[in-house]
Amino acid sequence: MQQDVEQIVERVALKLGRGLSLEDLDGVLLAYSSNQSHADRVRVNFLLSKRVPSDVSAWQLAHGISTAVRPVVVPANDELGMLGRVCVPLLVRGFRVGYLWVQLDLEEQSATAILAELPGVRDELDLLAGLLLDSNTAESEFRRRREQDFLSACGGESNAVAAVAGWKEIQGRGPWQLVTILDPDGARSDVDPIAATLTHRSAALQSTIGVNAALFSAGTETHSVVLFRESGGRADHAQVLVHYQLELAKRAGRKVDRVILGISEPFQVIRQLSGAYRQSKVAAQAAAVDQPLGELVESRAVGVYQLFDRLVAPGGWDDTGSVHFRALEDHDKNGELLPVLELLYDNDGSVQDVAAKLHLHRSSIYNRLGRIRQLIGADPLSGAIRLELHAALKARRWAGRPRI
């Protein structure tokens, strides 16, 4: 595999008549061409150290290479000892696998000639991207089969459960917890499903490297799933969250504002995997629509959302069942009543806390409560009415959850 990559880099270099270097998404040197009329200081140091220095990386990233889908011209930087370059992002179906760098010659003032020559090596660049994809650990056939078995076990398929129970990284290492990792803004219908799946698989694999508590990971079109050893703390989970967010942004080529880890209850036997998977998904989905739940969310902390997953009808959630809620919704066109009511319920009925969060005087909160009482003909803070309205408010949020 490595020999094939090096041969293609040499072939492209000969066609272009220029020095090339190939690096992965972390700035690690993968291959370089032998012909180069003049190598600047940055290229020489890169070939010796095998990694892009942080100051050079910052200069390159400042010109948008991490999100580019077409060649990017990176200008010279005298302070770094760097001639101008053209960065060619290598992608397969939208999945970013590396960067090919073409250095300008010493006397060249612009990259126009290089940009004009690149279409002539398109076939070689596509082949190079394909080889890098195949060499990616997450894309190996053995890894793919194991991930599929793991996801099937999470879905409750008995043969897959038996197979996963026999894995050496699983045996004798319980109790476990299952974690669903979700990018709530990434579950869109216009995303290429193959590229999205590979992105999540790779992000999960890379973000769990070196985390001993993370035993196995897999990715789907909409999210990732990680099996953890059960632990009382959340330091490992927080580390995975941070790294996953960085990896996802790097591979998807877009900004990732928020990543959620939904964490199941601990379980003792692998046949309970499917139940834990449902718990972790519900926790992640609940946090996606109810941000105060946070980013590291245990299933037991999401309250009534645990019930909604079982109550949804085949046609979707029907929230017309609560007469009181419908009356409030019909009259609350400006959004002054229902948000106050939800905050009151979520804050144990503390008017002072709600007033502080909304930057209102307490009298304004009492006035709105009075309007609610008048509209529904009942006290919204009394037991049965409170349960009905609070559940209806959360049900409306649940209806907007990411479908995973």
Side-chain angles (χ1 to χ4, degrees):
M1 181 69 69
Q2 179 62 25
Q3 185 177 2
D4 292 339
V5 168
E6 291 172 351
Q7 288 175 350
I8 295 175
V9 170
E10 286 287 3
R11 191 190 314 164
V12 174
L14 288 173
K15 281 192 174 185
L16 297 178
R18 299 174 182 276
L20 307 180
S21 59
L22 177 68
E23 66 185 55
D24 68 11
L25 299 180
D26 295 313
V28 175
L29 178 66
L30 300 177
Y32 63 94
S33 64
S34 55
N35 67 314
Q36 176 72 55
S37 59
H38 177 80
D40 61 17
R41 189 169 79 235
V42 166
R43 178 174 170 83
V44 171
N45 291 338
F46 182 39
L47 300 187
L48 291 174
S49 67
K50 312 299 184 187
R51 182 179 286 275
V52 178
S54 58
D55 53 354
V56 175
S57 176
W59 178 250
Q60 294 172 168
L61 291 171
H63 291 86
I65 68 168
S66 63
T67 58
V69 296
R70 294 182 178 83
V72 176
V73 178
V74 177
N77 186 316
D78 293 336
E79 185 177 336
L80 295 173
M82 177 178 176
L83 294 173
R85 281 163 167 66
V86 173
C87 173
V88 183
L90 299 175
L91 301 99
V92 180
R93 294 180 64 90
F95 180 73
R96 197 173 302 268
V97 294
Y99 302 105
L100 185 72
W101 290 90
V102 188
Q103 182 185 299
L104 275 68
D105 287 332
L106 188 60
E107 64 278 2
E108 280 187 297
Q109 298 300 312
S110 80
T112 304
I114 294 176
L115 296 174
E117 294 164 353
L118 285 176
V121 293
R122 184 71 264 167
D123 291 343
E124 286 87 351
L125 295 179
D126 289 343
L127 180 58
L128 187 59
L131 286 172
L132 292 182
L133 179 67
D134 290 339
S135 68
N136 186 300
T137 305
E139 188 57 13
S140 70
E141 182 59 34
F142 176 71
R143 176 78 190 187
R144 277 200 301 267
R145 286 199 304 269
R146 281 168 63 86
E147 287 195 30
Q148 188 55 56
D149 285 345
F150 180 69
L151 291 172
S152 297
C154 288
E157 203 278 306
S158 58
N159 290 333
V161 171
V164 170
W167 290 357
K168 63 180 182 180
E169 61 262 57
I170 305 298
Q171 289 182 325
R173 304 195 69 183
W176 305 276
Q177 285 177 298
L178 205 65
V179 170
T180 292
I181 309 180
L182 176 65
D183 164 24
D185 297 325
R188 308 189 313 270
S189 59
D190 60 340
V191 176
D192 184 313
I194 296 176
T197 299
L198 186 52
T199 296
H200 291 132
R201 291 173 60 206
S202 298
L205 180 61
Q206 295 298 323
S207 63
T208 54
I209 290 174
V211 180
N212 293 331
L215 304 179
F216 193 78
S217 68
T220 75
E221 180 183 337
T222 57
H223 62 284
S224 298
V225 188
V226 182
L227 183 66
F228 275 81
R229 292 189 71 175
E230 189 272 332
S231 64
R234 291 290 173 259
D236 288 330
H237 301 76
Q239 178 182 336
V240 169
L241 186 152
V242 171
H243 290 168
Y244 188 93
Q245 188 168 0
L246 294 172
E247 289 289 336
L248 193 60
K250 182 166 60 178
R251 294 172 191 280
R254 60 179 174 82
K255 185 180 180 183
V256 177
D257 292 317
R258 187 173 182 236
V259 165
I260 298 164
L261 266 64
I263 306 168
S264 79
E265 290 291 290
F267 58 99
Q268 298 282 350
V269 290
I270 286 297
R271 67 173 177 271
Q272 296 173 318
L273 195 61
S274 61
Y277 184 36
R278 187 186 75 83
Q279 290 175 351
S280 69
K281 284 199 298 182
V282 169
Q285 289 173 302
V289 296
D290 205 338
Q291 288 204 20
L293 289 172
E295 279 68 50
L296 291 175
V297 191
E298 297 186 23
S299 61
R300 66 171 58 193
V302 300
V304 72
Y305 290 115
Q306 297 172 81
L307 306 179
F308 291 159
D309 185 56
R310 295 299 196 195
L311 295 175
V312 173
W317 181 266
D318 181 4
D319 62 1
T320 61
S322 169
V323 174
H324 295 119
F325 182 76
R326 188 165 70 249
L328 284 177
E329 199 170 34
D330 289 344
H331 286 86
D332 192 23
K333 302 302 182 184
N334 296 324
E336 295 180 342
L337 304 180
L338 289 173
V340 167
L341 201 57
E342 186 173 17
L343 274 175
L344 271 169
Y345 293 155
D346 290 348
N347 288 272
D348 298 323
S350 171
V351 171
Q352 183 173 341
D353 289 347
V354 172
K357 289 184 178 183
L358 295 177
H359 306 290
L360 295 172
H361 194 274
R362 281 180 295 176
S363 61
S364 298
I365 306 300
Y366 286 120
N367 287 337
R368 294 183 190 188
L369 280 173
R371 289 168 58 192
I372 292 171
R373 287 190 188 93
Q374 188 176 18
L375 284 170
I376 66 175
D379 182 1
L381 301 183
S382 67
I385 298 296
R386 175 174 181 149
L387 176 61
E388 174 189 335
L389 292 177
H390 201 183
L393 284 161
K394 297 307 181 186
R396 184 173 65 168
R397 286 190 179 275
W398 182 249
R401 70 194 181 281
R403 286 347 191 233
I404 62 176

